[in-house]
Amino acid sequence: MLCACSGEQFKFDEPQQSPESLATRDFSASGLSSRTVGDWESKLEDIHVDEAESTLKEALSLNYEEARALLGRLEYQRGNLDAALQVFQGIDIKALTPKMIKAIVERIHYRKSRSKGEIVPPSVMSMHSVSLFVEAILLKANSLEELGHHREAAKECRIILNIVESALPNGMPEGIGEDCKLEEMFHKALELLPALWSKAGLLDEAIASYRRALVRPWNLDPQNLAGMQKELASMLLYSAVEARHPLPASPQSNIEEAILLLLVLMSKVACGEIKWDEEIMDHLTYALSIVGQFELLAEHVEQALPGVYTRAERWYLLALCYSAAGQNEAALNLLKKVSGCSESKNKPHIPSFLLGAKLCSQDPTHAQEGINFARKVLDLADHQNQHFIGQTHKFLGICYGNAARVSLSDSERFLLHTESMNSLNNAALNRNEDPEVMYSLGLENMVQRNLGAAFDNAIVCSEMMAGNTVKGWKLLALVVSAEQRFRDAQTVVEFALDVAGRIEKLELLRLKAFLQIAQEQPKQAIETYRILLSLIQAQRDIQAKNPEQTHIFKSEVLAERNLELAAWQDLADIYTKIGSWGDAKICVDKAKLIEFHSPRSWHSTGMLFECQSLHKEALVSFSVSLSVEPDYVPSIVATAEVLMKLGTQSFPIARSFLMHALRLDPTNHEAWLNLGLISKMEGSLKQAAEFFQAAYELKLSAPILSAM
């Protein structure tokens, strides 16, 4: 409408107030006034552009560019995009730009010095004319966009930003939109420009436009500002365009910048400045997951306002965060709340029970809890949750297998093994194309000494994975080694090394060293460990040169540290067995530098003393190991062995240690062997024979269990 900002309509007989424009008239984005729009549209319906332009100039005392701007708006409103574009092309914006910039600067200066009585010079373009021309540029960009010319539209839209930024380098002052439409048009241009660059496929330009819009205070509405910040974060995360920020002391990567933006948005949500937006949390979850900052993600889940998540959902999300951060105990404690009395009246949260079963399947000490979680999922599953059943049977089978391995009763162990196989076979029927199910089934068959079935499962698992992951090859190597075919197992491992990733390669090298030890090749095993440790050191040197990326590989750094610790401990055991005690001590000391309170390091120290017949020193080391971890079975068995050497009077104490070790780990062949020795020395030959038989059967799978 052609109406003044005060709401008054134009009178066509008013004199022109400046040589270039009507300084006090507002030609707003809504078109002509309601009184005149019908008349003017009917008059301009059938006349040519030049005639319409002349009519507007004479009726409203407009100059050439202003008349074109108004006529172009009318054509745009009627949907005549080509005609509107033709009209807008006739406006020489390049020539008008300096005048528009000067008008904005003078208007801001006038607002600041109004109390001193200064007035705007009459030769300066009015702010209403500036708004009219800015609107014309914006409508031209809109026309080009709707006609599919996105790049040209973006270039036109960029002109608006250039003009306003030149005039207002420090941002938009308060109150500038009170008497004209400049601020409104500029805000529309700010939001439109990056969208146009995106549609044109120039994502780097879109990112630059978002940054340009956010770098200065433009008085954007908080919700609109948050929308632009969210869109920039989204583009930085998913565009696959690495656009470094040009400003100094700025984020060093797309991910870092996106995380900072999303954290700002989350703080605004927490303060109530903007509304809760699920997409912000989704983007933050993705970004923090990439860099491994799961504890930080958990903090923001906890900060979500009440009502955003139900209690079960919040606990489930927190459990996901803590489990991803390696804090499975904390995650399980949260999941137990979901199945607790406080939630008994609410709808069961099946994903929480399924996650609980998964976490319990990874730790034999939680086998019974895992069985309970899995049983709840199966009891609650209906036709809408059929896709959970296969996974649930898999976790249930693994938990039954873990429970069997810690069971003291033969009958109970047999029953649990049977349940384990039944559940895993059910999982295979429900998820017959899932290599993870076949891997778990093969692993359980191998533990139960069903080596033929385990071999078949390993082959099927490798075929399902198409040789692209080493998990199937590793299972195959373990199955072959269980058949005492160590050379063949080593060949499989060497083949898997060619397709392994960095961490997987380190794990396979350790398995290769185990196989070499089993073949009584200590020198070759030592060389394999040397390669493993050199690879870890090489990666550490790379990380030292790029410290800013260390947090991104946090999980890999932790895995490397654990593998390095295990490698030094393995080497210490090898050197101890071959009588190289000096080298063994060096390796133990290296392991203690990595983790001083490691029970295995102190156990290795005790074994070193024991080989030197330093029984008292060995007992002290084993005691330190057990003080760190009271249920560390190797040190319990080793303590019993030392006590046995101190005389028959120590046999009762040694036997109690061995029985305790078997309660913790019924598959420990060394405990069965030492019980047999004690029984033999005491004259119980029949009992000794039973113990020796159990030790022999378990010894066959000892290399497998050690490598795993």
Side-chain angles (χ1 to χ4, degrees):
M1 291 181 292
L2 293 177
C3 56
C5 285
S6 61
E8 296 179 359
Q9 295 176 346
F10 280 102
K11 298 179 180 179
F12 298 131
D13 55 350
E14 286 183 357
Q16 185 176 356
Q17 295 188 10
S18 78
E20 292 193 352
S21 65
L22 296 175
T24 61
R25 296 179 185 176
D26 179 16
F27 310 107
S28 66
S30 58
L32 297 173
S33 70
S34 58
R35 181 176 65 83
T36 60
V37 65
D39 297 338
W40 279 105
E41 285 192 359
S42 61
K43 290 180 181 179
L44 299 175
E45 185 76 35
D46 301 319
I47 59 178
H48 295 294
V49 172
D50 293 338
E51 295 176 4
E53 177 188 323
S54 175
T55 302
L56 285 171
K57 287 171 66 177
E58 292 175 3
L60 301 179
S61 301
L62 303 177
N63 61 29
Y64 173 83
E65 288 82 4
E66 290 170 340
R68 284 233 162 206
L70 284 174
L71 182 58
R73 178 203 298 164
L74 287 172
E75 294 291 355
Y76 179 82
Q77 289 172 341
R78 286 199 294 237
N80 301 329
L81 300 181
D82 289 318
L85 198 57
Q86 181 184 0
V87 174
F88 289 134
Q89 295 286 12
I91 303 175
D92 190 358
I93 293 296
K94 187 174 182 180
L96 292 171
T97 296
K99 300 176 183 179
M100 295 168 67
I101 295 173
K102 182 179 179 181
I104 297 171
V105 172
E106 290 292 341
R107 175 63 57 165
I108 299 304
H109 177 72
Y110 165 71
R111 289 174 61 85
K112 291 180 179 178
S113 57
R114 195 161 37 184
S115 58
K116 300 179 182 179
E118 297 184 17
I119 61 172
V120 179
S123 60
V124 175
M125 183 185 296
S126 75
M127 288 297 288
H128 301 304
S129 295
V130 172
S131 300
L132 181 64
F133 292 134
V134 168
E135 181 194 23
I137 301 170
L138 186 62
L139 293 178
K140 183 179 180 182
N142 286 334
S143 301
L144 288 167
E145 179 191 12
E146 293 183 40
L147 292 171
H149 306 300
H150 299 114
R151 183 178 298 204
E152 291 77 8
K155 291 178 180 178
E156 292 295 329
C157 195
R158 187 169 56 186
I159 294 173
I160 300 174
L161 272 67
N162 292 339
I163 291 171
V164 176
E165 284 184 348
S166 298
L168 305 172
N170 297 320
M172 189 78 69
E174 295 287 343
I176 195 171
E178 293 175 359
D179 53 359
C180 67
K181 293 282 186 177
L182 176 63
E183 186 177 58
E184 178 186 342
M185 295 298 106
F186 179 66
H187 287 171
K188 289 181 179 180
L190 278 178
E191 296 178 19
L192 178 62
L193 181 58
L196 292 173
W197 286 125
S198 297
K199 290 179 179 179
L202 300 172
L203 299 183
D204 52 342
E205 290 287 351
I207 291 171
S209 298
Y210 277 123
R211 288 170 174 165
R212 184 177 182 181
L214 297 174
V215 76
R216 294 183 178 88
W218 296 120
N219 291 345
L220 285 164
D221 174 80
Q223 204 66 43
N224 292 341
L225 177 61
M228 295 190 72
Q229 290 172 325
K230 184 182 76 172
E231 290 300 322
L232 174 56
S234 173
M235 189 165 289
L236 290 168
L237 287 173
Y238 311 120
S239 67
V241 175
E242 188 61 41
R244 296 292 295 270
H245 204 293
L247 296 178
S250 58
Q252 297 300 309
S253 67
N254 282 12
I255 298 290
E256 186 178 348
E257 184 178 354
I259 290 174
L260 290 174
L261 284 166
L262 293 167
L263 291 178
V264 169
L265 289 171
M266 288 300 294
S267 66
K268 290 181 178 180
V269 171
C271 296
E273 187 177 336
I274 61 174
K275 298 177 182 177
W276 168 260
D277 188 341
E278 261 185 29
E279 289 186 2
I280 297 174
M281 193 65 194
D282 291 343
H283 296 328
L284 184 63
T285 299
Y286 174 73
L288 292 179
S289 298
I290 288 176
V291 299
Q293 295 291 332
F294 300 106
E295 295 93 335
L296 180 58
L297 179 58
E299 290 179 15
H300 284 281
V301 172
E302 289 177 335
Q303 291 172 11
L305 297 174
V308 172
Y309 304 116
T310 65
R311 286 195 301 181
E313 288 172 341
R314 190 187 297 267
W315 288 332
Y316 173 66
L317 292 173
L318 287 172
L320 284 173
C321 294
Y322 288 126
S323 65
Q327 301 178 33
N328 285 355
E329 290 296 328
L332 276 174
N333 288 335
L334 288 164
L335 294 172
K336 289 174 186 176
K337 291 184 178 182
V338 181
S339 59
C341 298
S342 63
E343 294 296 304
S344 59
K345 296 181 181 179
N346 298 326
K347 182 181 178 181
H349 196 257
I350 293 179
S352 294
F353 301 150
L354 190 62
L355 177 60
K358 177 183 178 181
L359 296 180
C360 289
S361 71
Q362 299 169 3
D363 187 349
T365 60
H366 292 294
Q368 189 57 51
E369 293 170 332
I371 292 170
N372 295 337
F373 275 121
R375 283 294 175 197
K376 285 183 179 180
V377 177
L378 293 177
D379 292 342
L380 294 167
D382 53 27
H383 66 281
Q384 294 180 344
N385 298 309
Q386 287 295 312
H387 55 290
F388 286 143
I389 292 179
Q391 286 283 8
T392 305
H393 277 299
K394 181 182 76 171
F395 297 138
L396 183 60
I398 295 172
C399 289
Y400 272 131
N402 290 338
R405 284 186 276 282
V406 297
S407 174
L408 298 178
S409 167
D410 289 340
S411 59
E412 183 184 37
R413 190 180 306 118
F414 176 79
L415 179 62
L416 290 170
H417 275 313
T418 303
E419 290 289 345
S420 174
M421 293 305 301
N422 290 338
S423 294
L424 289 171
N425 282 319
N426 281 332
L429 289 174
N430 281 278
R431 298 177 65 85
N432 54 9
E433 296 182 357
D434 186 351
E436 292 292 332
V437 172
M438 203 55 60
Y439 176 84
S440 300
L441 184 59
L443 206 57
E444 186 61 31
N445 271 316
M446 182 187 66
V447 171
Q448 295 189 32
R449 308 299 297 168
N450 302 324
L451 298 183
F455 184 83
D456 293 339
N457 297 145
I459 294 296
V460 173
C461 179
S462 299
E463 290 174 350
M464 285 182 174
M465 294 179 175
N468 294 326
T469 65
V470 301
K471 204 168 185 178
W473 296 114
K474 185 177 179 180
L475 175 61
L476 183 59
L478 292 173
V479 173
V480 173
S481 70
E483 297 174 333
Q484 305 297 304
R485 294 160 51 194
F486 299 119
R487 186 177 296 278
D488 292 339
Q490 186 174 332
T491 301
V492 173
V493 170
E494 288 171 349
F495 182 82
L497 283 168
D498 295 334
V499 296
R502 187 164 55 83
I503 299 298
E504 291 173 329
K505 182 172 290 187
L506 300 178
E507 294 173 349
L508 287 170
L509 284 171
R510 186 171 179 234
L511 177 57
K512 179 181 177 181
F514 267 91
L515 294 170
Q516 289 168 333
I517 294 169
Q519 297 174 74
E520 298 182 354
Q521 299 173 349
K523 290 184 179 180
Q524 290 88 332
I526 290 170
E527 175 62 19
T528 301
Y529 280 117
R530 187 193 66 77
I531 295 171
L532 188 156
L533 291 169
S534 64
L535 289 174
I536 293 175
Q537 185 58 47
Q539 182 61 28
R540 187 172 294 144
D541 293 340
I542 293 173
Q543 291 169 354
K545 294 177 182 178
N546 302 280
E548 71 281 355
Q549 296 184 2
T550 302
H551 66 282
I552 299 177
F553 307 105
K554 186 177 178 180
S555 59
E556 293 186 3
V557 170
L558 181 60
E560 285 178 355
R561 180 179 179 276
N562 292 335
L563 282 167
E564 182 182 13
L565 174 63
W568 286 118
Q569 292 167 340
D570 294 344
L571 281 170
D573 293 343
I574 294 173
Y575 283 125
T576 298
K577 288 178 181 178
I578 65 176
S580 184
W581 297 332
D583 291 332
K585 187 177 186 309
I586 292 172
C587 293
V588 168
D589 291 341
K590 290 275 191 181
K592 288 180 180 177
L593 285 174
I594 298 172
E595 179 55 67
F596 184 77
H597 297 290
S598 168
R600 189 182 169 193
S601 296
W602 285 102
H603 174 76
S604 297
T605 303
M607 295 301 294
L608 179 58
F609 284 132
E610 177 62 16
C611 287
Q612 300 175 70
S613 298
L614 301 172
H615 301 311
K616 291 183 179 179
E617 289 83 352
L619 280 175
V620 171
S621 295
F622 295 142
S623 298
V624 174
S625 174
L626 292 173
S627 68
V628 176
E629 187 177 330
D631 293 337
Y632 188 64
V633 173
S635 290
I636 296 174
V637 175
T639 301
E641 290 177 350
V642 174
L643 291 172
M644 288 167 60
K645 294 176 182 178
L646 296 179
T648 56
Q649 71 277 7
S650 300
F651 280 5
I653 303 174
R655 182 183 287 107
S656 67
F657 270 97
L658 293 171
M659 293 303 294
H660 178 53
L662 289 174
R663 277 193 293 271
L664 296 170
D665 180 12
T667 62
N668 189 285
H669 70 279
E670 292 183 352
W672 289 107
L673 176 63
N674 284 295
L675 277 176
L677 291 173
I678 292 175
S679 297
K680 181 181 178 181
M681 292 178 186
E682 291 178 340
S684 302
L685 298 182
K686 183 177 180 180
Q687 189 180 47
E690 293 175 356
F691 289 150
F692 288 147
Q693 180 64 28
Y696 174 75
E697 292 176 356
L698 291 168
K699 173 67 174 174
L700 294 176
S701 58
I704 304 169
L705 299 176
S706 300
M708 290 167 61

